[in-house]
Structures are given as structure tokens and as C-alpha cells.
Amino acid sequence: MKKILIPIEFKNNSDKVIEYAVHLHKNEACAFYLLNTYSLNISGLQALNFLKASKDWFEKPKQKSEKGLVILVDKYSAIYKEHKHQFYALSECESLIRGIQKTIENLKIDLIIMATKAKKEKCFDKYATNTERIIENIRKCPLIIMPENQTIE
């Protein structure tokens, strides 16, 4: 079974990239791992305020990540229940790069498929910052970048 990692940012093209990945592998048995990384926003917090932060403050980003992933996994598991596809949620309190690296190592990922947004500025760089960081730092696994305006036929 092929193991495919799909980094998820809920505000971007999550549905499109999942559908793109499934379409590319429609005739293969695949496990799709949907990874959302989050961090605790401590910038601007003073050390004393950080120490006094409630448990709820720490749990909110985790709950938001897990809830969003469960919605996607449930949706695509129902849509593709007749196919040889399985969907799994991975929520990590990590940087995006470290989360991807750990997942590749721990699950023996075969392929990463991700969406990107083109930069709006007219310059030589053509990918958004997260995409550039992944291209620069992830070397142990092939990567497919879904073009922003990709349509599935």
C-alpha cells in the first residue's frame, strides 16, 4: 500500500489537493495521511503571563487542528469507501518542516502531495514561503506540488 502525506492548511486548498491526490492514485491502494501542524503563539507574551496561561489556552490550537482533520477524514472516507483508499489524521504541535520530517521517518511515507499558492509579487520566486521551505528541507521523499489552478478531469 502506497503511503501519501498531504500537509493541510485549512484556509487553503485542502479539498482540492486531497481530490487531486486521490485522482492521481485512483487505481492504487493508498493510505492518505493528512497532516496539520500548529504551534502555540507565545510571541508577545511575557514569561510570567505564559506561566499563568490556562490549560484551555494550550488546548485550543490542538482542538482546532484535530477537529478540522476529523471533518476531512470523515468526509473523504465516506466519499471513497468503495475504493482502496484509507484516510488518517495527523495533528502535530511542531513546525511544518519538523512535522513532515517526523512523519516521513515514522510512517515510511512514499510521496508528499501538497497545494501551493503562487506568490502575488512579480518576482523570480514562484512559490509561497511554506512550499519553498519544504522544497529546500525535505530530501528523503518525492514531492508533488499541485498547481494553484489545477482542475481534475
Side-chain angles (χ1 to χ4, degrees), residues 89-107:
L90 302 171
S91 178
E92 294 282 338
C93 184
E94 282 284 358
S95 70
L96 177 62
I97 300 301
R98 186 65 193 130
I100 291 172
Q101 289 170 333
K102 280 176 46 177
T103 304
I104 290 169
E105 292 169 21
N106 293 341
L107 297 175

Side-chain angles (χ1 to χ4, degrees), residues 5-10 33-41 58-70 88-107 109 133:
L5 178 63
I6 304 174
I8 298 292
E9 288 184 66
F10 298 116
Y33 294 91
L34 310 181
L35 171 68
N36 177 255
T37 59
Y38 63 92
S39 60
L40 302 173
N41 185 6
F58 290 100
E59 287 295 317
K60 279 185 181 180
K62 178 181 179 181
Q63 291 171 350
K64 181 180 177 185
S65 174
E66 289 174 349
K67 182 181 178 184
L69 288 169
V70 165
Y88 301 96
L90 302 171
S91 178
E92 294 282 338
C93 184
E94 282 284 358
S95 70
L96 177 62
I97 300 301
R98 186 65 193 130
I100 291 172
Q101 289 170 333
K102 280 176 46 177
T103 304
I104 290 169
E105 292 169 21
N106 293 341
L107 297 175
I109 297 295
R133 288 179 37 234

Side-chain angles (χ1 to χ4, degrees), residues 104-118:
I104 290 169
E105 292 169 21
N106 293 341
L107 297 175
K108 308 292 186 245
I109 297 295
D110 298 305
L111 177 66
I112 302 168
I113 300 178
M114 62 179 293
T116 190
K117 287 180 118 179

Side-chain angles (χ1 to χ4, degrees), residues 11-124:
K11 61 185 175 216
N12 288 341
N13 301 324
S14 296
D15 287 317
K16 281 186 175 183
V17 72
I18 295 168
E19 290 168 11
Y20 179 76
V22 168
H23 180 74
L24 284 177
H25 298 87
K26 63 185 170 194
N27 298 320
E28 287 182 74
C30 295
F32 294 96
Y33 294 91
L34 310 181
L35 171 68
N36 177 255
T37 59
Y38 63 92
S39 60
L40 302 173
N41 185 6
I42 58 172
S43 63
L45 279 181
Q46 296 176 358
L48 187 56
N49 290 338
F50 180 69
L51 293 173
K52 291 181 181 179
S54 69
K55 183 180 178 186
D56 188 48
W57 183 84
F58 290 100
E59 287 295 317
K60 279 185 181 180
K62 178 181 179 181
Q63 291 171 350
K64 181 180 177 185
S65 174
E66 289 174 349
K67 182 181 178 184
L69 288 169
V70 165
I71 290 168
L72 289 173
V73 166
D74 288 349
K75 175 181 177 178
Y76 288 100
S77 293
I79 292 172
Y80 296 106
K81 65 183 173 191
E82 301 298 322
H83 291 73
K84 300 175 192 172
H85 297 148
Q86 298 170 357
F87 297 87
Y88 301 96
L90 302 171
S91 178
E92 294 282 338
C93 184
E94 282 284 358
S95 70
L96 177 62
I97 300 301
R98 186 65 193 130
I100 291 172
Q101 289 170 333
K102 280 176 46 177
T103 304
I104 290 169
E105 292 169 21
N106 293 341
L107 297 175
K108 308 292 186 245
I109 297 295
D110 298 305
L111 177 66
I112 302 168
I113 300 178
M114 62 179 293
T116 190
K117 287 180 118 179
K119 283 189 174 179
K120 298 201 186 317
E121 309 100 44
K122 300 289 183 194
C123 64
F124 294 108

Side-chain angles (χ1 to χ4, degrees), residues 102-152:
K102 280 176 46 177
T103 304
I104 290 169
E105 292 169 21
N106 293 341
L107 297 175
K108 308 292 186 245
I109 297 295
D110 298 305
L111 177 66
I112 302 168
I113 300 178
M114 62 179 293
T116 190
K117 287 180 118 179
K119 283 189 174 179
K120 298 201 186 317
E121 309 100 44
K122 300 289 183 194
C123 64
F124 294 108
D125 299 325
K126 67 188 212 183
Y127 295 119
T129 305
N130 280 341
T131 306
E132 287 178 355
R133 288 179 37 234
I134 290 169
I135 291 169
E136 291 168 359
N137 291 287
I138 303 301
R139 300 285 186 208
K140 293 185 177 183
C141 188
L143 170 67
I144 293 176
I145 301 170
M146 182 188 91
E148 185 175 19
N149 297 320
Q150 179 69 38
T151 57
I152 301 168

